[in-house]
């Protein structure tokens, strides 16, 4: 009877042990599956970062490289360099202190960026860079380091600067101011006179009046196809500003159709001397200059 009782107690225990073994095997299989999935995920992330067409770098808390894209290596001249595990500041000792401060803030949880900033390089050249930096987190939620996204925009910056210089040159050429004698300036206008061009004309003319100590400024509108209320108002503003500097404005080249338009718009040109053409305007300015000149000793 005793032997039967012992046998009855052992069988359930064996069954429980077998069930526990099966559970442990299932847990181990699940762990292996999760580890394999994690490895695949990490490999996918590595491939994505490496081959993305953007310049991307992943650094740990010690500012050492974990991953870097091919574009990052190309943009910063590191194509033939194995940078994984190396310190960011070792590779770029020229990084200024204010950028190092940005790195420290991002390692503490901040996210920062700049659309256009100069990056003086160790060899003396200056790159222009657009950048974004933010922290990355470990599976446990802790900050593991920072991600750097950059775009070297040096060529675009140079092109934009060139275009701005060309635009400024074109504007200056569109409002050429010609000194024809001592104290007399001529500004021949050609094309449409809009608000932006009127402002440029005023700035240039006032500067030249002061620089040349001009007494008369002739504005020739022979080449202006149309004068409306806005452009006539701009001319009046220029004339008033020039008079405040002690010089006289002479308006020349008003064609009949423009004259009729000015009368029809009821535009008051009081205070502005008008002459039929540029030659008449120069004659008036010469006479005015002779009258204002002091007698010889």
């Amino acid at each position: 009877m005793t032997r039967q009782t012992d046998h009855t107690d052992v069988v359930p225990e064996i069954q429980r042990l077998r069930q526990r073994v099966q559970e442990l095997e299932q847990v181990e299989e699940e762990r292996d599956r999760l580890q394999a999935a994690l490895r695949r995920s990490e490999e996918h992330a590595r491939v994505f970062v490496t081959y993305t067409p953007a310049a991307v770098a992943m650094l740990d808390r010690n500012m050492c490289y974990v991953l870097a894209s091919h574009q990052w290596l190309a943009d910063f001249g590191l194509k033939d360099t194995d940078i994984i595990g190396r310190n960011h500041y070792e590779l770029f000792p020229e990084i200024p202190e204010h950028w190092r401060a940005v790195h420290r803030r991002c390692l503490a949880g901040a996210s920062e960026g700049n659309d256009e900033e100069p990056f003086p390089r160790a060899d003396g050249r200056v790159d222009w860079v657009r950048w974004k930096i933010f922290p990355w987190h470990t599976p446990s939620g802790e900050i593991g380091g920072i991600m750097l996204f950059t775009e070297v925009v040096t060529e675009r910056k140079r092109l934009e600067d060139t275009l701005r210089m060309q635009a400024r040159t074109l504007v200056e050429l569109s409002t050429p101011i010609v000194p024809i004698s001592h104290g007399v300036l001529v500004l021949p206008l050609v094309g449409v006179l809009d608000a932006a061009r009127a402002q440029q004309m005023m700035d240039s003319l006032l500067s030249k009046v002061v620089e040349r100590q001009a007494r008369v400024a002739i504005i020739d509108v022979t080449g202006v196809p149309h004068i409306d209320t806005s452009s006539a108002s701009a001319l009046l503003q220029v004339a008033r500003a020039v008079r405040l500097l002690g010089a006289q404005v002479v308006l020349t080249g008003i064609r009949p159709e423009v004259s009729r338009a000015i009368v029809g718009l009821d535009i008051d040109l009081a205070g502005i001397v008008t002459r039929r053409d540029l030659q008449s305007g120069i004659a008036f300015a010469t006479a005015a200059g002779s009258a204002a000149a002091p007698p010889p000793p």
Side-chain angles (χ1 to χ4, degrees):
M1 185 70 179
T2 303
R3 292 178 181 175
Q4 181 66 32
T5 303
D6 292 342
H7 178 71
T8 303
D9 292 340
V10 169
V11 170
E13 182 65 24
I14 292 174
Q15 291 176 342
R16 283 194 297 273
L17 289 174
R18 285 177 177 173
Q19 183 177 358
R20 182 58 179 161
V21 169
Q22 289 176 351
E23 291 174 352
L24 292 174
E25 288 176 346
Q26 290 174 354
V27 169
E28 187 173 358
E29 289 175 359
E30 179 66 13
R31 184 195 63 191
D32 292 343
R33 187 185 68 78
L34 291 174
Q35 287 179 341
L38 179 60
R39 284 193 295 270
R40 287 196 300 272
S41 178
E42 291 175 344
E43 179 62 16
H44 292 162
R46 186 191 67 79
V47 170
F48 174 77
V49 171
T50 300
Y51 293 100
T52 184
V56 183
M58 183 178 186
L59 283 69
D60 64 19
R61 293 193 62 84
N62 295 317
M63 295 299 292
C64 293
Y65 281 86
V66 178
L67 292 172
S69 68
H70 287 172
Q71 190 63 49
W72 177 278
L73 301 177
D75 282 357
F76 295 104
L78 299 169
K79 274 189 174 181
D80 300 322
T81 306
D82 182 10
I83 67 172
I84 304 305
R86 295 183 62 180
N87 187 272
H88 186 55
Y89 303 136
E90 173 195 345
L91 293 170
F92 301 103
E94 67 269 31
I95 288 179
E97 176 56 34
H98 76 276
W99 277 5
R100 296 175 188 239
V102 169
H103 299 157
R104 291 192 292 270
R105 291 195 296 271
C106 291
L107 284 169
S111 295
E112 301 190 22
N114 194 311
D115 286 337
E116 189 178 270
E117 187 170 355
F119 178 22
R121 304 303 305 277
D123 59 5
R125 75 181 191 278
V126 176
D127 278 332
W128 286 83
V129 181
R130 174 176 17 201
W131 56 268
K132 176 75 174 177
I133 303 175
F134 55 84
W136 61 269
H137 296 79
T138 65
S140 62
E142 299 177 348
I143 294 177
I146 57 175
M147 295 289 296
L148 285 74
F149 287 77
T150 66
E151 181 185 1
V152 177
V153 295
T154 306
E155 291 305 317
R156 191 198 72 190
K157 171 73 173 172
R158 288 175 182 163
L159 178 60
E160 289 175 349
D161 289 345
T162 299
L163 291 175
R164 276 194 291 269
M165 290 178 61
Q166 291 176 346
R168 193 159 47 241
T169 300
L170 287 173
V171 169
E172 291 173 354
L173 290 174
S174 70
T175 54
I177 300 174
V178 183
I180 60 171
S181 65
H182 180 70
V184 179
L185 301 175
V186 174
L187 172 58
L189 293 179
V190 178
V192 177
L193 181 60
D194 56 17
R197 192 176 180 200
Q199 183 61 50
Q200 172 64 28
M201 177 181 71
M202 180 183 293
D203 294 341
S204 300
L205 186 56
L206 294 181
S207 176
K208 282 293 184 181
V209 166
V210 173
E211 177 188 334
R212 307 286 299 193
Q213 297 183 344
R215 299 185 306 275
V216 180
I218 303 173
I219 302 177
D220 183 64
V221 296
T222 304
V224 178
H226 176 68
I227 292 182
D228 56 14
T229 304
S230 177
S231 53
S233 176
L235 288 172
L236 288 174
Q237 289 180 1
V238 172
R240 294 189 189 105
V242 170
R243 285 204 302 271
L244 288 175
L245 296 178
Q248 173 69 57
V249 171
V250 179
L251 191 62
T252 66
I254 298 179
R255 299 190 305 280
E257 61 272 22
V258 173
S259 176
R260 286 192 295 271
I262 290 175
V263 172
L265 293 170
D266 197 23
I267 296 171
D268 184 11
L269 295 180
I272 300 180
V273 176
T274 59
R275 290 294 184 269
R276 182 177 63 254
D277 52 33
L278 180 58
Q279 184 177 356
S280 301
I282 293 174
F284 170 84
T286 303
S290 299

